[in-house]
Amino acid sequence: MNNLNMDERTKIIVDDAVDAVKLFGTLGDKEKECLLIFLKGWDARKNMEELLNDKSA
């Protein structure tokens, strides 16, 4: 992949992240709390999978 394509992909990722932060700011406290709990669970699951993969390798 050339640099131009990578720059375009990076811009899309950054633009999406900015949009997500703006959306997060419009959520109510309960919605924010629910989303953060979900993300923490997602991260914990990812970490557990990595640990299991390390032990089986």
Side-chain angles (χ1 to χ4, degrees):
M1 181 176 299
N2 64 35
N3 287 340
L4 181 59
N5 286 341
M6 184 58 83
D7 289 342
E8 290 171 5
R9 288 184 60 209
T10 302
K11 182 183 180 322
I12 291 170
I13 292 168
V14 170
D15 288 347
D16 288 349
V18 168
D19 289 343
V21 169
K22 288 178 183 176
L23 177 62
F24 188 79
T26 65
L27 297 175
D29 288 342
K30 291 289 185 184
E31 293 164 321
K32 287 178 183 178
E33 183 179 348
C34 182
L35 182 58
L36 290 174
I37 290 170
F38 171 79
L39 291 173
K40 286 179 184 178
W42 187 280
D43 187 52
R45 182 177 147 252
K46 181 182 155 202
N47 289 338
M48 183 62 74
E49 288 175 351
E50 289 175 359
L51 285 173
L52 292 173
N53 287 337
D54 288 346
K55 289 187 180 211
S56 64

